[in-house]
Amino acid sequence: MKMFSKFSRRFFHLSCCTRNVRVRFAPSPTGYIHLGGLRTALYNFLFAKANNGQFILRIEDTDQKRLVPGAANQLEMDLDWMGLSPDESPMKNGTFGPYTQSERLCLYNQFVVELVKNGQAYHCFCSERRLEFVKKEAIREGAIPRYDNRCRQLSNAQVEEKKQHGMSSCIRFKLSSLEEPLQDLVYGDIDRNAVLHEGDPVIMKQDGYPTYHLANVVDDHLMEITHVLRGTEWLVSTPKHILLYKAFGWHPPRFAHLPLITNADGTKLSKRQDDIRLDYFRSQGFYPEAIIGLLCLVGGGFSSSIDIQQNLHSLPELAKAFNLGCVTTHSGRLDMPRLDHFNRLALQNRISQPDKIDEMRKQLSRLVYENIPNSSIDKEMLQDDSLLKVLHWASSEGRIHLLRQLTDPHLGFLWSSQRNPIISKIDPFTARNVMVRVVEMLNQCDRIEKKEVSVILRQIALEHKLKVNEVMKLMRSSLTGLKEGPPVSEIIEILGPKICSDRLVSSLNLII
């Protein structure tokens, strides 16, 4: 087969001789990344790292009408936040750039011209109105809607005549039968004759922008992509892409199509769902490692050497266990309660790491100021050691799975010194005496543990001939203003003797 340009021949030679693993994540900047696209990026990243390869980010912005301003840059920043930083990208650049398709239009034009010249593609002058008519007629007759290849029969003279009359055209690729068997690394045999039931696809639109079919083939070849890992929705298009590789005389990459991700109820994910967008989870306080833990549960791909059901794993650990042979062919449902579990683990891990605990302390302080009325904030609880104590207490038994939960109403007592009137079954005189006695005991301590608290309160209950439960309820109401919540011994331990003493003293006149 005739080779095309010197440019084409050079890259053809390189792609045949250099077969180091190179994969790409190629999103369209028509919105912000959601869990479906993020899983594709993750699996590409893991496959690259498992094979000492390169992970490339390429922006496919050929659908200019649907572009969202700023989305392309945000996509890359989101990958960086997730720890999935590409080796080559629009921001990082690299040997095979540019990495944005709208900056590569001259390349696609060059290859389309060659296809037309060789008779493997043709100009199509059919109007939108005619195409819609063909579609409706097919539906009316119970046939599969497809282009009827009408313009395939036009002679060169007829094409030139239409051009001279100012008629606009797109370029279509001539489909043919595919003799070679097709093997997908996940789905196995692919129906290579599915293309025979389709009309010739558009590869260059009237506006001069390529369609996905052409652009992804040209770019994957020129960027020396060795493996294409993408969503299963592209499985039916693979024979078309193989035919394009064949038309160019290029060696195609290996293909692996990833199973569909669905909502918990089995419905398809949609870009219109705000609650599957990465920025939603980030704004809620979920950490990258927890989101990755959730995605690893959908579709398989990991050997039994690691437990992805219960535990979090680092990206290097996941890469080591990643195996395309373990990817399933059936769709997987998102198990959102597992995200809470994984984020709880992530919180605990971060709190135990000296290099991350300081940032979490600052985050918690910001959350308090954002969610608690400033006039009621107990400033002593925002001291560094108090914040650290709260963080360790909250994570010790998995009390929270999001940092912001520490400012929820049932834990507001941690930060607010504002109290309401105290209603107690103990008569006011005895209640005040009990509180004064507790203050005396607390003032003798610099710090106190919950076991000591229990002993002290039992002793004071005995002294005043009260039930321990009555004293506990009085303490809870005085210190937190709540009827329910964490055990009183824990409340006193986490607040500390001084803050508890101050709150009890200020509550003496609130007993009714």
Side-chain angles (χ1 to χ4, degrees), residues 36-44 184 186-187 228-235 255-261 298-301 322 324 327-331:
L38 189 58
R39 196 275 304 270
T40 300
L42 171 64
Y43 278 28
N44 273 281
D184 185 81
V186 173
Y187 283 81
V228 172
L229 279 65
R230 59 187 180 184
T232 189
E233 65 271 19
W234 293 109
L235 189 61
F255 290 90
H257 289 84
L258 306 176
L260 189 69
I261 298 180
V298 189
F322 187 73
L324 277 178
V327 175
T328 64
T329 56
H330 54 79
S331 59

Side-chain angles (χ1 to χ4, degrees), residues 435-496:
M435 292 168 68
V436 169
R437 185 77 179 95
V438 173
V439 168
E440 290 173 353
M441 299 291 284
L442 290 174
N443 286 343
Q444 298 174 26
C445 310
D446 292 326
R447 58 188 299 275
I448 192 167
E449 296 183 1
K450 58 185 180 182
K451 290 181 180 178
E452 299 173 271
V453 173
S454 297
V455 172
I456 290 172
L457 294 184
R458 287 179 184 280
Q459 179 183 332
I460 293 173
L462 188 61
E463 290 174 5
H464 293 80
K465 298 181 179 178
L466 297 169
K467 294 179 180 179
V468 174
N469 191 42
E470 292 174 325
V471 174
M472 293 291 188
K473 287 182 178 179
L474 175 63
M475 289 298 102
R476 182 189 302 281
S477 182
S478 304
L479 294 170
T480 71
L482 301 173
K483 292 182 179 180
E484 297 179 346
V488 171
S489 57
E490 288 187 13
I491 292 171
I492 294 177
E493 179 184 44
I494 194 65
L495 293 177

Side-chain angles (χ1 to χ4, degrees), residues 93 183 196 201 344 400 408 509:
N93 218 324
Q183 276 283 322
L196 299 179
R344 185 176 289 110
I400 60 171
D408 284 352
N509 296 322

Side-chain angles (χ1 to χ4, degrees), residues 343-380:
N343 214 60
R344 185 176 289 110
L345 295 181
L347 263 175
Q348 293 171 339
N349 290 343
R350 285 169 176 252
I351 289 170
S352 67
Q353 297 175 40
D355 60 326
K356 298 206 175 152
I357 186 72
D358 191 53
E359 177 55 33
M360 296 191 70
R361 175 186 60 75
K362 293 175 183 176
Q363 289 176 7
L364 180 54
S365 180
R366 287 195 295 269
L367 285 168
V368 172
Y369 279 113
E370 289 169 6
N371 295 287
I372 306 295
N374 195 56
S375 59
S376 69
I377 291 177
D378 191 333
K379 298 298 193 293
E380 289 192 53

Side-chain angles (χ1 to χ4, degrees), residues 110-234:
Q110 170 190 333
F111 290 115
V112 164
V113 167
E114 294 291 346
L115 285 177
V116 173
K117 187 184 297 183
N118 292 341
Q120 293 169 314
Y122 58 92
H123 289 270
C124 174
F125 297 91
C126 292
S127 64
E128 287 295 326
R129 182 177 178 182
R130 181 181 183 276
L131 294 175
E132 187 62 28
F133 173 77
V134 170
K135 179 180 177 181
K136 287 181 178 179
E137 280 296 295
I139 293 173
R140 188 177 63 81
E141 295 174 3
I144 299 173
R146 65 175 184 173
Y147 177 57
D148 58 1
N149 298 347
R150 178 183 182 180
C151 290
R152 187 195 267 216
Q153 315 306 324
L154 294 176
S155 66
N156 291 339
Q158 289 173 311
V159 169
E160 288 305 315
E161 182 182 355
K162 290 180 181 293
K163 285 183 180 180
Q164 288 174 10
H165 282 84
M167 294 181 67
S168 58
S169 66
C170 64
I171 306 294
R172 291 182 182 270
F173 175 64
K174 291 182 179 179
L175 293 179
S176 59
S177 60
L178 190 63
E179 298 175 3
E180 301 85 353
L182 289 183
Q183 276 283 322
D184 185 81
L185 295 174
V186 173
Y187 283 81
D189 290 332
I190 300 175
D191 180 7
R192 63 180 184 271
N193 292 318
V195 292
L196 299 179
H197 307 295
E198 300 182 35
D200 292 337
V202 174
I203 57 173
M204 183 70 79
K205 295 176 286 186
Q206 290 184 6
D207 61 6
Y209 279 81
T211 63
Y212 174 81
H213 300 306
L214 174 74
N216 96 91
V217 167
V218 170
D219 288 343
D220 285 347
H221 172 70
L222 297 185
M223 292 182 182
E224 299 186 28
I225 301 302
T226 61
H227 296 76
V228 172
L229 279 65
R230 59 187 180 184
T232 189
E233 65 271 19
W234 293 109

